[in-house]
Amino acid sequence: MTMGRSCFLSAVRCTIISAIFKPPKAIRGGVPICFPQFGTHGNLEQHGFARNRLWIIDDNPPPLPLNPAIKAFVDLILKPSDEDLKIWPHSFEFRLRVALGPTGDLSLTSRIRNTNTDGRPFSYTFAYHTYFSVSDISEVRVEGLETMDYLDNLKGKERFTEQGDAIVFESEVDKIYLSAPSKIAIIDHEKKRTFVLTKEGLPDAVVWNPWDKKAKAMQDFGDVEYKHMLCVEPAAVEKPITLKPGHSWLRILIFCVLYRSTQCP
């Protein structure tokens, strides 16, 4: 395993130092799963309830369409509780496979199945709410989203077109890029490393950094921690997914981190 790949997990797992672990509230950092709602795009709590629940480990996971070379993985299962059914009356099974490839690449595979027995479909929005650890947000640029249309959450979800050659950060950003490409790169100049996100079947990408004023107003976010984090989130937000009973939805996110001496497959 190369140095760049072996350092991957510590680079991507960004945990906010001021984060508060107090279930059932979500903990800030890592890769929270936004389901069955992203943000405020619906009537549920912010980002839905999946990130606030306890998942169980499947001791006998079935095969999923992943690289057969991947041997190190764990499957986590989420099913609705009685309380969940009161606020979102649909039966489902959410299987999340977290896998580490032979070269250190991390993949997340989500399979959501509609298990309603009354014939009802359900609709939802979704995101991998990835927190990345960066050296200095002012020295970071995101490539791959140039010329894309986006919804600006800071301007009432108004639609714009990205004009720059790359996304750079000088103030708060909260945008949903639509029909985003399958690969997005986060370039951290100071650390001489690049995160590459490869997404399959997730049409959108959310880019978020709260900047200084919002960071100071957040209880679980240090006043200056915004300088060292960035969220770039593969998502399905603009057009909700609808699943019929018995049908499944499967989507994959692969992380790779590059140093100057390494390259992604």
Side-chain angles (χ1 to χ4, degrees):
M1 186 179 292
T2 64
M3 179 187 70
R5 304 288 178 78
S6 64
C7 293
F8 175 74
L9 290 177
S10 62
V12 75
R13 71 187 180 192
C14 180
T15 300
I16 304 302
I17 295 173
S18 298
I20 300 170
F21 181 62
K22 190 176 181 180
K25 296 294 184 181
I27 186 169
R28 190 175 297 281
V31 189
I33 301 296
C34 300
F35 172 84
Q37 175 181 303
F38 172 80
T40 57
H41 292 252
N43 299 319
L44 299 176
E45 61 186 292
Q46 172 95 351
H47 293 321
F49 52 74
R51 64 179 186 155
N52 301 333
R53 300 296 184 261
L54 292 176
W55 298 52
I56 63 171
I57 295 176
D58 188 348
D59 294 327
N60 187 27
L64 287 178
L66 283 175
N67 186 337
I70 295 178
K71 305 297 182 183
F73 66 89
V74 62
D75 277 20
L76 305 175
I77 301 290
L78 178 68
K79 295 181 181 181
S81 66
D82 290 342
E83 293 302 312
D84 296 334
L85 291 170
K86 290 178 182 178
I87 60 175
W88 199 67
H90 300 289
S91 180
F92 67 89
E93 180 189 82
F94 192 137
R95 177 179 297 272
L96 175 66
R97 174 163 292 184
V98 183
L100 187 64
T103 56
D105 304 320
L106 181 70
S107 64
L108 303 178
T109 302
S110 289
R111 187 179 71 185
I112 299 168
R113 187 161 59 95
N114 183 337
T115 57
N116 278 336
T117 58
D118 56 6
R120 288 185 302 156
F122 59 67
S123 298
Y124 58 92
T125 51
F126 174 91
Y128 290 112
H129 195 340
T130 50
Y131 282 77
F132 289 93
S133 174
V134 298
S135 57
D136 185 334
I137 189 63
S138 299
E139 299 295 325
V140 169
R141 55 190 280 141
V142 175
E143 295 184 355
L145 299 174
E146 51 273 14
T147 76
M148 296 288 104
D149 284 358
Y150 64 86
L151 306 178
D152 195 332
N153 288 325
L154 302 179
K155 296 181 179 179
K157 299 183 177 68
E158 189 174 350
R159 189 174 184 133
F160 299 92
T161 300
E162 186 62 52
Q163 300 296 326
D165 295 333
I167 301 171
V168 294
F169 301 90
E170 298 175 342
S171 60
E172 181 183 356
V173 174
D174 190 353
K175 299 176 179 179
I176 302 169
Y177 288 84
L178 311 174
S179 300
S182 60
K183 287 193 176 183
I184 303 169
I186 304 168
I187 301 170
D188 189 335
H189 294 288
E190 186 173 321
K191 289 192 175 180
K192 298 182 176 63
R193 73 182 177 195
T194 299
F195 298 107
V196 178
L197 285 71
T198 302
K199 58 188 182 70
E200 298 180 14
L202 293 163
D204 306 321
V206 181
V207 178
W208 178 69
N209 183 287
W211 219 251
D212 55 348
K213 289 184 180 179
K214 186 165 286 185
K216 291 177 181 178
M218 297 161 67
Q219 184 181 6
D220 60 348
F221 207 110
D223 290 355
V224 298
E225 287 187 310
Y226 75 94
K227 294 182 179 180
H228 307 296
M229 59 73 62
L230 175 64
C231 291
V232 178
E233 312 166 30
V237 179
E238 183 190 27
K239 299 177 181 178
I241 299 99
T242 298
L243 268 185
K244 296 179 180 179
H247 287 220
S248 295
W249 177 87
L250 188 148
R251 295 298 183 267
I252 301 173
L253 171 62
I254 301 173
F255 300 98
C256 175
V257 65
L258 308 181
Y259 287 76
R260 286 187 175 178
S261 61
T262 64
Q263 61 181 12
C264 285

